[in-house]
Structures are given as C-alpha cells and as structure tokens.
Amino acid sequence: MTMDVTFLGTGSAYPSPHRGASALVLRSEGDCWLFDCGEGTQTQLVFPYAVHELEPTQDQSPEEGQLSVEVTRECGAALSQEQLGADIRLDVSSDCYFLFEDDKFIVKAFRLFHRVPSFGFCVQERHRPGRLKTELLKELGVKPGPVYGRLKAGQPVTLESGRLLLPSEVLEESIPGRKVCILGDCSSTLGEAPVRVCQGADLLVHEATLGDEHRDKAVEHGHSTPQMAAELARACRVKKLALYHFSQRYKPSSLQRHEDDTDDDVTELQRQAEQVLVDDGVDVILAEDFLTISIPLHRPKSSY
C-alpha cells in the first residue's frame, strides 16, 4: 500500500512568488488528507465536508490569543456544501484528541503552543499481520486455501480433528504500521503526549520558520528554529525530519545561485538541524513546494 506526503506550500504567513502558504497532503491508496491548509481552502471544495472543531485548553497560547466563545459562535452562515460537524474535547487520560479510526488508520491530535491555539497530528497505520507459518500449517494438515485467509485475517479456525486453531499459533510477529506526524505552527509542544504519540515516527514534519540565530524572535512570535525541531525529532526517535514553514527571507535553494544573493541561505537551516542529529541517524529533509516524500512499507523480520 503506497503512502506519501506532498508539500503544496512551505512558506510562513502568506504566499510569495517563491513559496505557497504552508499546506501538505498525505496520500494513501487514493485517499488524500490535507493538513495545515491555508485560510479559505474550504471555499474551493466542490464536494460535501464537515468542520469538526478541536476545543483548545487555555495553556495553548497567551491570553490575547485565546479564542472566545463569542468569536467561535459568530462564524457566519454555513456554505451550501458544509455539513454539521462536532466539537472534539481533549481526552484527559491520554492528553490527545481522537479524530478518526477505521480498519487502516488511527488519527490523533495533540496540543502545541503558539500565539493562537495550534495542534499537531499523528496518522498511525494499523499493524499488518505477520507471515503465516506455512510449514507448521502443513504439519497440522491444513491445506492452502480459504482457511489460510481466515487465519491471516485473525479469525480462529476449527480443524477437521475438532481442534480450535488460533491465529496467534500460526502467525509470525505482526508488522508495525507506518506513522506520520505533522506539527502546525508552534514554539513548543505541551505535555507528554506529543513525544509519546510521535515515538518512532517514519516522518516528522516540523516548522522551522527562522534559523537558530533568530531563536528569540522565533519564540516571541510562537515559532520554532531547526534546533528546536531537531530536539523533538531526537526525543521521538523518528526516522526522518522534514523542515518547512520558512520565513519569506529564505528563498528555495534552487533560486540561490549567485554569490551576491542577499537572502539568507535556506540550506543553513538544514545544517543546523543536522548538527543536533549527527549521532542519531535521522535524515533531515528541507521541504520545498511540490516535494513528495514516500513512506515505504515496513518489511517483516526474516525468520530462519
């Protein structure tokens, strides 16, 4: 099953001639999930949708950035294609918001700190069943066919001898599903949930609005630097870190061709993150508009 992430925009604040406003899409087998989409995106949808609002906590932003009940209620008339959504509250026991669950994925959100309430998202693919122990099945007299499929699907089977055969007896260790974590605007995470939920992620997408030399300015405006992103990547033991949401002062590397170019070097942001992660084996990626990152399937462990 294919899975990839495409950056539709990698700029902060507003679109420019060189970068679109930050937005990305996660694709899996024909399904497209849009994250961190710019303001007004919903007006371009030509199909029905529902807006589900995450109820933030007061510690997610300074007091002046908190949303009042009056503001959120006075949102104007719904568009013709908009369906009734739900208010989603924080699950205190897990410190997460449960957004979606089916037989393929579990999607959660967690709290971030920004000038206004912001959130991160974790898309966790369910584990796949391990390989069937075919030699053992042959010894038990089970022939290839529908029974194999039922066992692979986790269903117990009653053999002709009357014995109840459990899938756990004939399946190797399950194969971990892939995990992609996407953080919105933030200068920090809140609580222990982000590190726990993002642990071992195949891809962590994190903003790096300004370089480390501008850390004070970045934090003042509720944003992060490459070092801050890399420190979270290390704590979560992720496999890849993709930096995006760059200040407009950083042109895409493909446009920085002249030695007298006065714009800041965007590749320096990558180097700053790599310095933190030099001993961790984490691949640091500098996102640009329309870059696609594939998330390969995890392979089963070889058995001997």
Side-chain angles (χ1 to χ4, degrees), residues 12-30:
S12 67
Y14 54 86
S16 74
H18 309 300
R19 294 186 190 278
S22 64
L24 59 87
V25 61
L26 188 153
R27 297 178 294 185
S28 178
E29 294 300 301

Side-chain angles (χ1 to χ4, degrees), residues 168-223:
S168 58
E169 299 179 71
V170 293
L171 283 175
E172 294 181 356
E173 186 177 347
S174 61
I175 304 166
R178 292 164 288 185
K179 183 188 293 187
V180 175
C181 295
I182 302 163
L183 275 65
D185 293 16
C186 66
S187 58
S188 68
T189 58
L190 285 179
E192 298 179 357
V195 173
R196 184 181 71 251
V197 171
C198 298
Q199 195 67 212
D202 295 273
L203 175 66
L204 174 67
V205 180
H206 198 298
E207 69 134 288
T209 304
L210 292 169
D212 292 331
E213 65 275 17
H214 303 296
R215 180 173 180 138
D216 290 345
K217 182 178 180 180
V219 173
E220 179 184 354
H221 291 85
H223 292 295

Side-chain angles (χ1 to χ4, degrees), residues 229-250:
E231 287 171 348
L232 180 62
R234 170 186 281 175
C236 295
R237 299 181 180 179
V238 305
K239 297 179 177 66
K240 291 184 180 179
L241 169 64
L243 303 177
Y244 83 134
H245 194 274
F246 307 119
S247 165
Q248 302 300 340
R249 70 196 300 161
Y250 302 103

Side-chain angles (χ1 to χ4, degrees), residues 45-224:
L45 303 180
V46 296
F47 54 84
Y49 67 90
V51 176
H52 306 287
E53 296 196 29
L54 307 185
E55 294 190 359
T57 57
Q58 291 186 342
D59 54 354
Q60 283 186 248
S61 68
E63 184 176 356
E64 60 271 18
Q66 295 174 13
L67 303 178
S68 67
V69 175
E70 291 75 17
V71 169
T72 56
R73 283 178 179 172
E74 295 179 6
C75 55
L79 298 174
S80 59
Q81 65 270 40
E82 184 177 347
Q83 300 175 349
L84 183 64
D87 293 335
I88 304 176
R89 293 181 173 85
L90 179 70
D91 178 71
V92 179
S93 63
S94 64
D95 198 21
C96 290
Y97 299 82
F98 291 89
L99 307 183
F100 177 80
E101 183 174 359
D102 65 5
D103 60 343
K104 295 181 181 178
F105 295 100
I106 300 174
V107 183
K108 299 177 182 178
F110 47 87
R111 300 175 300 148
L112 304 174
F113 188 85
H114 183 51
R115 289 185 297 175
V116 296
S118 184
F119 298 90
F121 302 90
C122 175
V123 181
Q124 171 69 68
E125 183 181 41
R126 291 190 183 275
H127 293 351
R128 291 180 290 145
R131 292 172 174 170
L132 283 170
K133 300 177 181 178
T134 54
E135 292 300 320
L136 176 57
L137 286 167
K138 289 179 182 178
E139 294 175 7
L140 295 172
V142 182
K143 298 179 180 179
V147 172
Y148 276 33
R150 289 169 58 189
L151 290 168
K152 186 79 171 179
Q155 301 173 12
V157 171
T158 301
L159 303 181
E160 294 181 358
S161 63
R163 175 186 171 182
L164 182 66
L165 184 62
L166 301 177
S168 58
E169 299 179 71
V170 293
L171 283 175
E172 294 181 356
E173 186 177 347
S174 61
I175 304 166
R178 292 164 288 185
K179 183 188 293 187
V180 175
C181 295
I182 302 163
L183 275 65
D185 293 16
C186 66
S187 58
S188 68
T189 58
L190 285 179
E192 298 179 357
V195 173
R196 184 181 71 251
V197 171
C198 298
Q199 195 67 212
D202 295 273
L203 175 66
L204 174 67
V205 180
H206 198 298
E207 69 134 288
T209 304
L210 292 169
D212 292 331
E213 65 275 17
H214 303 296
R215 180 173 180 138
D216 290 345
K217 182 178 180 180
V219 173
E220 179 184 354
H221 291 85
H223 292 295
S224 298

